[in-house]
Amino acid sequence: MGKQELPQPEELEAIEEETEEEGGGGGYNLKSSAPSNTHGVQPLGNLYFNPGSVNSRNTGLGNLQTLTDELVIDVLGFLDATQLGVLATVSKSFYVFANHEPLWRNLALDNLKGEFMFNGSWKSTFVSACYPSFDVGKVNVDGCLRVRDFYSDYLFQSWLCANLEMKPEWLERDNIARKKCISVEEFVSSFEEPNKPVLLEGCLDNWAALKKWDRDYLVNVCGDVRFAVGPVEMKLEEYFRYSDSVREERPLYLFDPKFADKVPTLGGEYEVPVYFREDLFSVLGNERPDYRWVIIGPAGSGSSFHMDPNSTSAWNAIIKGSKKWILFPPDVVPPGVHPSSDGAEVACPVSIMEWFMNFYGATKNWKKRPIECICKAGEVIFVPNGWWHLVINLEESIAITQNYVS
């Protein structure tokens, strides 16, 4: 979040009340299930309103206080769980840093390889998996120590972005072309050839998946099959347990390219919409790179700005839930995105929610404004090749996407 002044939890309520009274609707809302900021971390800007305070972040770090928060976390990322636990006893400042959830998430994913049942937090999950005889239910392994006068934008924004609701003004713009029951010829001439996005309605009506794919059905038909979830593989039942209880800035996303091979039943319960059946990728046979995925994720999960690989176009069909899409044409690099000169690599250092907080508002005044929409169950969005796109799930969502070359 850089040097931006961030609101504290109690300030969020005041901001919300003010904007409602003024009719502006510009305030921030926390999710109803949002936990309190565990260790009392405040945004750095608040230090300047307490001139008598000393940032306990600095006094507790000693000579390491000159490092940025990001660098402190990077250094702590080299430690194992025992070392982090010992470091947490050195000072209140190290206690806060050593309990930073992403550190324990990395330890859990690297060491447990998907063999875990999420236990409310990543630290608790790691401890209960590695030390099953230790009763985490009787001992609060996450700690509850609140530290006074601890100011850090980096740590605060991680909590804030994990617990903010999407603002209404981020969802109201809908300027994509919407079409229903158009011919293939019209799709090609009006959208595919001129390389323009479109949202298509009604072309999933014959999908069995649209009627059958809910949690119970998928868990039953998939059984013990493991699906790609970030860097690990998980059974659906385990993934849903995680997605139900997690509150983090970048939730793990189930994104599996082999789902139809793993569970042939799933592959038989959808079909490629008629508009996308011409696909030159198919001539590659077994050499064809991954091209289709089942996607499942909780509210707040999604994909930050990227272009699809290999100059492919894509279609994305929503089976359950809804997604907010933002698309920029190939010649407009989204704010906050830093592609390499050859376009082979893309750096998007902020999370999806942080991008909305810091960059979304500026796009309203751009000459080339983004294409935006909310895609709901039963709808398909066409993403032309070369277009930048960001997607965030507004609720738990299930979708199928496929890349192709017409």
mmCIF file with all atom_site columns, all heavy atoms in Angstrom, residues 41 60 88 91 104 111 155 172 204 212 238 254 265 277:
data_model
loop_
_atom_site.group_PDB
_atom_site.id
_atom_site.type_symbol
_atom_site.label_atom_id
_atom_site.label_alt_id
_atom_site.label_comp_id
_atom_site.label_asym_id
_atom_site.label_entity_id
_atom_site.label_seq_id
_atom_site.pdbx_PDB_ins_code
_atom_site.Cartn_x
_atom_site.Cartn_y
_atom_site.Cartn_z
_atom_site.occupancy
_atom_site.B_iso_or_equiv
_atom_site.pdbx_formal_charge
_atom_site.auth_seq_id
_atom_site.auth_comp_id
_atom_site.auth_asym_id
_atom_site.auth_atom_id
_atom_site.pdbx_PDB_model_num
ATOM 1   N N   . VAL A 1 41  ? -2.324  -4.246  14.951  1.00 0.00 ? 41  VAL A N   1
ATOM 2   C CA  . VAL A 1 41  ? -1.495  -3.489  14.011  1.00 0.00 ? 41  VAL A CA  1
ATOM 3   C C   . VAL A 1 41  ? -2.307  -2.348  13.408  1.00 0.00 ? 41  VAL A C   1
ATOM 4   O O   . VAL A 1 41  ? -3.464  -2.521  13.030  1.00 0.00 ? 41  VAL A O   1
ATOM 5   C CB  . VAL A 1 41  ? -0.976  -4.411  12.890  1.00 0.00 ? 41  VAL A CB  1
ATOM 6   C CG1 . VAL A 1 41  ? -0.182  -3.604  11.858  1.00 0.00 ? 41  VAL A CG1 1
ATOM 7   C CG2 . VAL A 1 41  ? -0.110  -5.522  13.478  1.00 0.00 ? 41  VAL A CG2 1
ATOM 8   N N   . GLY A 1 60  ? 11.167  -2.929  18.842  1.00 0.00 ? 60  GLY A N   1
ATOM 9   C CA  . GLY A 1 60  ? 11.237  -4.376  19.007  1.00 0.00 ? 60  GLY A CA  1
ATOM 10  C C   . GLY A 1 60  ? 12.117  -5.077  17.986  1.00 0.00 ? 60  GLY A C   1
ATOM 11  O O   . GLY A 1 60  ? 12.533  -6.222  18.202  1.00 0.00 ? 60  GLY A O   1
ATOM 12  N N   . ALA A 1 88  ? 9.520   -15.491 17.926  1.00 0.00 ? 88  ALA A N   1
ATOM 13  C CA  . ALA A 1 88  ? 8.330   -14.803 18.416  1.00 0.00 ? 88  ALA A CA  1
ATOM 14  C C   . ALA A 1 88  ? 8.427   -14.455 19.899  1.00 0.00 ? 88  ALA A C   1
ATOM 15  O O   . ALA A 1 88  ? 7.664   -13.621 20.396  1.00 0.00 ? 88  ALA A O   1
ATOM 16  C CB  . ALA A 1 88  ? 7.089   -15.650 18.161  1.00 0.00 ? 88  ALA A CB  1
ATOM 17  N N   . SER A 1 91  ? 10.713  -10.404 21.164  1.00 0.00 ? 91  SER A N   1
ATOM 18  C CA  . SER A 1 91  ? 10.117  -9.101  21.452  1.00 0.00 ? 91  SER A CA  1
ATOM 19  C C   . SER A 1 91  ? 8.697   -9.088  20.916  1.00 0.00 ? 91  SER A C   1
ATOM 20  O O   . SER A 1 91  ? 8.309   -9.959  20.124  1.00 0.00 ? 91  SER A O   1
ATOM 21  C CB  . SER A 1 91  ? 10.931  -7.965  20.807  1.00 0.00 ? 91  SER A CB  1
ATOM 22  O OG  . SER A 1 91  ? 10.798  -8.000  19.394  1.00 0.00 ? 91  SER A OG  1
ATOM 23  N N   . TRP A 1 104 ? 3.281   -18.780 7.582   1.00 0.00 ? 104 TRP A N   1
ATOM 24  C CA  . TRP A 1 104 ? 2.823   -20.113 7.960   1.00 0.00 ? 104 TRP A CA  1
ATOM 25  C C   . TRP A 1 104 ? 2.106   -20.801 6.802   1.00 0.00 ? 104 TRP A C   1
ATOM 26  O O   . TRP A 1 104 ? 2.153   -22.031 6.678   1.00 0.00 ? 104 TRP A O   1
ATOM 27  C CB  . TRP A 1 104 ? 1.921   -20.014 9.197   1.00 0.00 ? 104 TRP A CB  1
ATOM 28  C CG  . TRP A 1 104 ? 2.712   -19.611 10.388  1.00 0.00 ? 104 TRP A CG  1
ATOM 29  C CD1 . TRP A 1 104 ? 2.897   -18.351 10.873  1.00 0.00 ? 104 TRP A CD1 1
ATOM 30  C CD2 . TRP A 1 104 ? 3.496   -20.481 11.218  1.00 0.00 ? 104 TRP A CD2 1
ATOM 31  N NE1 . TRP A 1 104 ? 3.734   -18.372 11.961  1.00 0.00 ? 104 TRP A NE1 1
ATOM 32  C CE2 . TRP A 1 104 ? 4.116   -19.669 12.206  1.00 0.00 ? 104 TRP A CE2 1
ATOM 33  C CE3 . TRP A 1 104 ? 3.717   -21.857 11.242  1.00 0.00 ? 104 TRP A CE3 1
ATOM 34  C CZ2 . TRP A 1 104 ? 4.955   -20.194 13.192  1.00 0.00 ? 104 TRP A CZ2 1
ATOM 35  C CZ3 . TRP A 1 104 ? 4.550   -22.387 12.219  1.00 0.00 ? 104 TRP A CZ3 1
ATOM 36  C CH2 . TRP A 1 104 ? 5.151   -21.559 13.170  1.00 0.00 ? 104 TRP A CH2 1
ATOM 37  N N   . ASN A 1 111 ? 5.630   -27.936 3.160   1.00 0.00 ? 111 ASN A N   1
ATOM 38  C CA  . ASN A 1 111 ? 5.942   -29.128 3.943   1.00 0.00 ? 111 ASN A CA  1
ATOM 39  C C   . ASN A 1 111 ? 4.835   -30.176 3.950   1.00 0.00 ? 111 ASN A C   1
ATOM 40  O O   . ASN A 1 111 ? 5.109   -31.374 4.025   1.00 0.00 ? 111 ASN A O   1
ATOM 41  C CB  . ASN A 1 111 ? 6.264   -28.736 5.388   1.00 0.00 ? 111 ASN A CB  1
ATOM 42  C CG  . ASN A 1 111 ? 7.568   -27.978 5.509   1.00 0.00 ? 111 ASN A CG  1
ATOM 43  O OD1 . ASN A 1 111 ? 8.647   -28.566 5.549   1.00 0.00 ? 111 ASN A OD1 1
ATOM 44  N ND2 . ASN A 1 111 ? 7.496   -26.656 5.568   1.00 0.00 ? 111 ASN A ND2 1
ATOM 45  N N   . LEU A 1 155 ? 1.696   -4.878  6.997   1.00 0.00 ? 155 LEU A N   1
ATOM 46  C CA  . LEU A 1 155 ? 0.953   -5.905  7.739   1.00 0.00 ? 155 LEU A CA  1
ATOM 47  C C   . LEU A 1 155 ? -0.527  -5.558  7.834   1.00 0.00 ? 155 LEU A C   1
ATOM 48  O O   . LEU A 1 155 ? -1.385  -6.437  7.752   1.00 0.00 ? 155 LEU A O   1
ATOM 49  C CB  . LEU A 1 155 ? 1.547   -6.074  9.143   1.00 0.00 ? 155 LEU A CB  1
ATOM 50  C CG  . LEU A 1 155 ? 3.004   -6.549  9.213   1.00 0.00 ? 155 LEU A CG  1
ATOM 51  C CD1 . LEU A 1 155 ? 3.441   -6.730  10.660  1.00 0.00 ? 155 LEU A CD1 1
ATOM 52  C CD2 . LEU A 1 155 ? 3.202   -7.857  8.444   1.00 0.00 ? 155 LEU A CD2 1
ATOM 53  N N   . GLU A 1 172 ? -20.586 -1.351  -10.297 1.00 0.00 ? 172 GLU A N   1
ATOM 54  C CA  . GLU A 1 172 ? -21.726 -0.799  -11.023 1.00 0.00 ? 172 GLU A CA  1
ATOM 55  C C   . GLU A 1 172 ? -21.486 -0.633  -12.522 1.00 0.00 ? 172 GLU A C   1
ATOM 56  O O   . GLU A 1 172 ? -22.431 -0.630  -13.315 1.00 0.00 ? 172 GLU A O   1
ATOM 57  C CB  . GLU A 1 172 ? -22.133 0.539   -10.418 1.00 0.00 ? 172 GLU A CB  1
ATOM 58  C CG  . GLU A 1 172 ? -21.075 1.617   -10.531 1.00 0.00 ? 172 GLU A CG  1
ATOM 59  C CD  . GLU A 1 172 ? -21.439 2.882   -9.754  1.00 0.00 ? 172 GLU A CD  1
ATOM 60  O OE1 . GLU A 1 172 ? -22.381 2.828   -8.922  1.00 0.00 ? 172 GLU A OE1 1
ATOM 61  O OE2 . GLU A 1 172 ? -20.779 3.914   -9.981  1.00 0.00 ? 172 GLU A OE2 1
ATOM 62  N N   . LEU A 1 204 ? -25.344 -22.065 -22.617 1.00 0.00 ? 204 LEU A N   1
ATOM 63  C CA  . LEU A 1 204 ? -25.016 -23.183 -21.722 1.00 0.00 ? 204 LEU A CA  1
ATOM 64  C C   . LEU A 1 204 ? -26.264 -23.944 -21.293 1.00 0.00 ? 204 LEU A C   1
ATOM 65  O O   . LEU A 1 204 ? -26.184 -24.848 -20.463 1.00 0.00 ? 204 LEU A O   1
ATOM 66  C CB  . LEU A 1 204 ? -24.304 -22.674 -20.455 1.00 0.00 ? 204 LEU A CB  1
ATOM 67  C CG  . LEU A 1 204 ? -23.072 -21.791 -20.603 1.00 0.00 ? 204 LEU A CG  1
ATOM 68  C CD1 . LEU A 1 204 ? -22.487 -21.494 -19.225 1.00 0.00 ? 204 LEU A CD1 1
ATOM 69  C CD2 . LEU A 1 204 ? -22.035 -22.445 -21.484 1.00 0.00 ? 204 LEU A CD2 1
ATOM 70  N N   . LYS A 1 212 ? -26.347 -29.790 -12.425 1.00 0.00 ? 212 LYS A N   1
ATOM 71  C CA  . LYS A 1 212 ? -25.908 -30.795 -11.463 1.00 0.00 ? 212 LYS A CA  1
ATOM 72  C C   . LYS A 1 212 ? -24.746 -30.365 -10.567 1.00 0.00 ? 212 LYS A C   1
ATOM 73  O O   . LYS A 1 212 ? -24.617 -30.850 -9.444  1.00 0.00 ? 212 LYS A O   1
ATOM 74  C CB  . LYS A 1 212 ? -25.503 -32.070 -12.207 1.00 0.00 ? 212 LYS A CB  1
ATOM 75  C CG  . LYS A 1 212 ? -26.649 -32.704 -12.983 1.00 0.00 ? 212 LYS A CG  1
ATOM 76  C CD  . LYS A 1 212 ? -26.171 -33.783 -13.949 1.00 0.00 ? 212 LYS A CD  1
ATOM 77  C CE  . LYS A 1 212 ? -25.630 -35.001 -13.250 1.00 0.00 ? 212 LYS A CE  1
ATOM 78  N NZ  . LYS A 1 212 ? -25.316 -36.089 -14.231 1.00 0.00 ? 212 LYS A NZ  1
ATOM 79  N N   . GLU A 1 238 ? -11.552 -31.377 1.119   1.00 0.00 ? 238 GLU A N   1
ATOM 80  C CA  . GLU A 1 238 ? -10.560 -30.630 1.884   1.00 0.00 ? 238 GLU A CA  1
ATOM 81  C C   . GLU A 1 238 ? -10.501 -29.179 1.412   1.00 0.00 ? 238 GLU A C   1
ATOM 82  O O   . GLU A 1 238 ? -10.349 -28.251 2.211   1.00 0.00 ? 238 GLU A O   1
ATOM 83  C CB  . GLU A 1 238 ? -9.190  -31.295 1.738   1.00 0.00 ? 238 GLU A CB  1
ATOM 84  C CG  . GLU A 1 238 ? -9.141  -32.690 2.335   1.00 0.00 ? 238 GLU A CG  1
ATOM 85  C CD  . GLU A 1 238 ? -7.888  -33.449 1.929   1.00 0.00 ? 238 GLU A CD  1
ATOM 86  O OE1 . GLU A 1 238 ? -7.169  -32.966 1.019   1.00 0.00 ? 238 GLU A OE1 1
ATOM 87  O OE2 . GLU A 1 238 ? -7.628  -34.507 2.515   1.00 0.00 ? 238 GLU A OE2 1
ATOM 88  N N   . LEU A 1 254 ? -8.612  -23.215 -6.889  1.00 0.00 ? 254 LEU A N   1
ATOM 89  C CA  . LEU A 1 254 ? -8.576  -24.521 -7.555  1.00 0.00 ? 254 LEU A CA  1
ATOM 90  C C   . LEU A 1 254 ? -8.623  -24.269 -9.062  1.00 0.00 ? 254 LEU A C   1
ATOM 91  O O   . LEU A 1 254 ? -9.583  -23.674 -9.566  1.00 0.00 ? 254 LEU A O   1
ATOM 92  C CB  . LEU A 1 254 ? -9.745  -25.390 -7.102  1.00 0.00 ? 254 LEU A CB  1
ATOM 93  C CG  . LEU A 1 254 ? -9.710  -26.852 -7.530  1.00 0.00 ? 254 LEU A CG  1
ATOM 94  C CD1 . LEU A 1 254 ? -10.481 -27.739 -6.539  1.00 0.00 ? 254 LEU A CD1 1
ATOM 95  C CD2 . LEU A 1 254 ? -10.260 -27.082 -8.933  1.00 0.00 ? 254 LEU A CD2 1
ATOM 96  N N   . THR A 1 265 ? -16.507 -38.239 -15.996 1.00 0.00 ? 265 THR A N   1
ATOM 97  C CA  . THR A 1 265 ? -17.901 -37.804 -15.877 1.00 0.00 ? 265 THR A CA  1
ATOM 98  C C   . THR A 1 265 ? -18.022 -36.300 -16.032 1.00 0.00 ? 265 THR A C   1
ATOM 99  O O   . THR A 1 265 ? -18.937 -35.800 -16.700 1.00 0.00 ? 265 THR A O   1
ATOM 100 C CB  . THR A 1 265 ? -18.477 -38.235 -14.513 1.00 0.00 ? 265 THR A CB  1
ATOM 101 O OG1 . THR A 1 265 ? -18.443 -39.664 -14.416 1.00 0.00 ? 265 THR A OG1 1
ATOM 102 C CG2 . THR A 1 265 ? -19.919 -37.761 -14.362 1.00 0.00 ? 265 THR A CG2 1
ATOM 103 N N   . ARG A 1 277 ? -15.837 -23.760 -31.516 1.00 0.00 ? 277 ARG A N   1
ATOM 104 C CA  . ARG A 1 277 ? -15.483 -25.140 -31.866 1.00 0.00 ? 277 ARG A CA  1
ATOM 105 C C   . ARG A 1 277 ? -14.378 -25.238 -32.905 1.00 0.00 ? 277 ARG A C   1
ATOM 106 O O   . ARG A 1 277 ? -13.741 -26.276 -33.026 1.00 0.00 ? 277 ARG A O   1
ATOM 107 C CB  . ARG A 1 277 ? -16.741 -25.890 -32.314 1.00 0.00 ? 277 ARG A CB  1
ATOM 108 C CG  . ARG A 1 277 ? -17.676 -26.130 -31.141 1.00 0.00 ? 277 ARG A CG  1
ATOM 109 C CD  . ARG A 1 277 ? -18.961 -26.832 -31.507 1.00 0.00 ? 277 ARG A CD  1
ATOM 110 N NE  . ARG A 1 277 ? -19.840 -26.921 -30.334 1.00 0.00 ? 277 ARG A NE  1
ATOM 111 C CZ  . ARG A 1 277 ? -21.099 -27.319 -30.387 1.00 0.00 ? 277 ARG A CZ  1
ATOM 112 N NH1 . ARG A 1 277 ? -21.651 -27.653 -31.544 1.00 0.00 ? 277 ARG A NH1 1
ATOM 113 N NH2 . ARG A 1 277 ? -21.826 -27.375 -29.275 1.00 0.00 ? 277 ARG A NH2 1
#
